[in-house]
């Protein structure tokens, strides 16, 4: 999952650096924005899961 997030960040950087007069009309730009939004959601979920795991005492079973 981390590799996917890093790859999406790279794509986002490329999008940010794109210099094109018709950028707002580009289907690739729109799809890239959608991808980056989804990856951001995954990143936030991963962050929340990490926080939850950090608060759970070792050896405890949260499913019990």
């Amino acid at each position: 999952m981390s590799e996917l997030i890093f790859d999406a960040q790279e794509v986002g950087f490329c999008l940010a650096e794109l210099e094109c007069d018709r950028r707002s009309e580009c289907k690739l730009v729109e799809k890239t924005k959608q991808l980056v939004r989804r990856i951001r959601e995954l990143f936030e979920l991963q962050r929340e899961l990490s926080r939850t795991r950090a608060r759970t005492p070792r050896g405890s079973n949260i499913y019990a």
Side-chain angles (χ1 to χ4, degrees):
M1 183 137 113
S2 295
E3 285 186 41
L4 179 63
I5 290 171
F6 290 137
D7 289 345
Q9 285 175 332
E10 285 294 321
V11 170
F13 294 147
C14 291
L15 177 65
E17 295 174 342
L18 180 66
E19 294 182 25
C20 178
D21 295 336
R22 298 178 60 196
R23 177 180 157 149
S24 62
E25 303 167 25
C26 182
K27 202 164 189 97
L28 179 61
V29 169
E30 183 56 38
K31 291 296 181 183
T32 301
K33 287 179 180 180
Q34 289 174 3
L35 172 66
V36 170
R37 283 191 286 268
R38 295 284 187 232
I39 294 298
R40 181 179 290 152
E41 291 171 6
L42 283 173
F43 180 74
E44 292 299 325
L45 178 62
Q46 184 182 34
R47 182 182 288 171
E48 185 60 34
L49 289 172
S50 294
R51 288 182 191 144
T52 302
R53 287 184 191 136
R55 286 182 271 185
T56 305
R58 288 184 172 234
S60 70
N61 185 351
I62 62 172
Y63 300 105

